[in-house]
Amino acid sequence: MTEQVAYLNGEILPLSQAKISVFDRGFRVGDGVFDTARSFRHKPYKLREHLERLYRSMRYVRINAGIDIDELEKITRQVVAHNAKLIDERSDLWMTQVVSRGVYNRKVGITASSATVAVVTEPINFSTFAKFHRIGMPLITPSIRHTPPECLDPRLKTTSRMNLHMAELEAQGHDPSASALLVDLNGNITEYTSGNFFIAAGGELYTPHEKTSLAGIARATVIDLAREQGIVVHVADITPYDVYNATEAFITSTSKCILPVGKLNGIRIGSSIPGPIAKRLLTAWSERVGVDIVEQALWHLPEEDRRRLDAAAVAA
Ligand SMILES: Cc1ncc(COP(=O)(O)O)c(C=O)c1O
């Protein structure tokens, strides 16, 4: 089959036939959870960790997928094996499991519906962020604050991300290429709209607490790689003041792995992109997975853009 496939409620189907009800609570009220892993060289990476986080999310919100983790892993691998044949060898896939509480059942209340379970893949959109490996990502702290842990545990990966979207829209209102770096009610940095955050100071790394941000799997990988490299990592309160005075900053996420941050609120961070620690970690991570992470992202840009970025990096 030359069309991508998806899994939906017990069946693997052509993607165009994977449809859900307009009464699905995921669609109607954001009553669902999800997780997204990626591939390297078309093979799922840390899929089990992502699925374990998905099952923890489900347990927290009391959704029963009606399928066990081994089976969902097997299905994800099947969907990836098919869809990976449809992308070129230098691309990779996101693989997402989405589980909603299912179709409304007004007669019996919210816990009674049977869950909607889907597995889909998409090619990672490297071209949208590749340039930031050379020029650094601009971040802005919006006025919208991160949802406090007293309201929703930030370890939950929920489909209702309005808080994050509002923050992103505000940041992009200031600078269309910027993303939001959310602070909590006390002014401490939490996470960016789709990734975790690190700064370096005095040759050591600092990242916000899990209490206020998603326990990112890329974040855990960075902590692990850093410790392997003898780099001390602190989990700490970080404010914009700390970021302005840092020697470097970067974000981490499944698709981007590590992406340098160039500016926060228009203030330049550090003196090189990437900073020396991000560079070491990107090299170590690339060796681990057998893919040059930066080159892979840049390869997805038109040749002319790559040349312009290389020239800008030399001039900087
Ligand atoms: C809000 C938020 N924080 C952090 C992350 C990073 O998590 P991971 O490294 O597991 O992709 C994500 C990833 O989607 C996210 O959406």
Side-chain angles (χ1 to χ4, degrees):
M1 197 192 301
T2 53
E3 187 180 347
Q4 283 188 63
V5 296
Y7 169 85
L8 182 62
N9 296 335
E11 280 184 280
I12 292 186
L13 307 158
L15 184 61
S16 58
Q17 290 173 31
K19 303 257 165 51
I20 63 158
S21 163
V22 291
F23 293 105
D24 193 280
R25 290 181 57 86
F27 172 63
R28 292 291 288 266
V29 288
D31 187 3
V33 296
F34 75 105
D35 219 294
T36 301
R38 68 163 284 176
S39 64
F40 281 107
R41 301 167 80 188
H42 297 189
K43 299 278 174 280
Y45 179 68
K46 296 200 168 182
L47 175 58
R48 192 70 183 193
E49 282 94 322
H50 283 274
L51 288 170
E52 283 167 357
R53 185 170 66 185
L54 176 73
Y55 277 77
R56 287 195 297 273
S57 291
M58 285 196 276
R59 188 165 171 76
Y60 177 65
V61 299
R62 303 168 190 86
I63 290 179
N64 177 359
I67 177 172
D68 73 23
I69 188 167
D70 294 333
E71 186 61 16
L72 197 54
E73 177 171 352
K74 205 167 97 197
I75 289 162
T76 304
R77 289 185 187 278
Q78 277 172 6
V79 171
V80 170
H82 180 280
N83 292 350
K85 291 189 208 121
L86 306 177
I87 59 170
D88 65 69
E89 62 177 20
R90 299 188 72 166
S91 295
D92 266 302
L93 291 174
W94 270 307
M95 59 208 74
T96 298
Q97 303 80 22
V98 192
V99 184
S100 83
R101 203 176 302 277
V103 171
Y104 263 101
N105 185 339
R106 306 263 189 204
K107 288 192 196 126
V108 285
I110 67 166
T111 54
S113 319
S114 78
T116 299
V117 183
V119 178
V120 293
T121 73
E122 289 165 273
I124 296 175
N125 60 350
F126 292 108
S127 62
T128 61
F129 62 82
K131 64 174 188 269
F132 297 134
H133 278 295
R134 292 282 186 260
I135 60 173
M137 210 179 160
L139 292 177
I140 285 174
T141 49
S143 64
I144 298 261
R145 301 298 173 103
H146 198 279
T147 304
E150 291 80 3
C151 298
L152 213 49
D153 195 301
R155 286 173 292 187
L156 171 68
K157 206 161 160 63
T158 165
T159 52
S160 47
R161 295 162 73 88
M162 192 59 86
N163 167 247
L164 299 171
H165 291 318
M166 294 294 288
E168 191 75 351
L169 287 170
E170 187 179 329
Q172 289 179 359
H174 292 289
D175 171 356
S177 66
S179 278
L181 180 66
L182 289 94
V183 297
D184 65 15
L185 297 180
N186 298 314
N188 291 313
I189 285 163
T190 60
E191 58 192 343
Y192 113 90
T193 31
S194 46
N196 294 107
F197 184 72
F198 285 77
I199 57 169
E204 301 186 344
L205 285 175
Y206 296 78
T207 187
H209 301 273
E210 278 182 18
K211 182 91 181 127
T212 57
S213 51
L214 185 75
I217 287 160
R219 173 183 181 272
T221 304
V222 159
I223 293 174
D224 185 38
L225 289 169
R227 291 193 172 139
E228 241 177 53
Q229 303 268 319
I231 300 164
V232 176
V233 183
H234 304 272
V235 175
D237 286 341
I238 300 171
T239 67
Y241 175 97
D242 300 313
V243 184
Y244 303 146
N245 288 292
T247 51
E248 62 182 279
F250 57 84
I251 62 92
T252 62
S253 81
T254 286
S255 52
K256 302 177 176 89
C257 301
I258 295 171
L259 202 56
V261 171
K263 289 180 179 172
L264 177 63
N265 298 329
I267 298 177
R268 183 152 290 290
I269 314 302
S271 53
S272 63
I273 299 291
I277 294 185
K279 197 170 177 178
R280 269 172 75 186
L281 295 172
L282 275 161
T283 303
W285 197 336
S286 298
E287 280 167 8
R288 233 186 221 193
V289 293
V291 173
D292 185 323
I293 290 167
V294 178
E295 277 312 306
Q296 183 185 39
L298 289 168
W299 182 82
H300 286 81
L301 293 177
E303 176 77 39
E304 196 186 320
D305 290 7
R306 259 183 282 164
R307 253 189 269 117
R308 207 175 316 124
L309 285 166
D310 285 343
V314 170

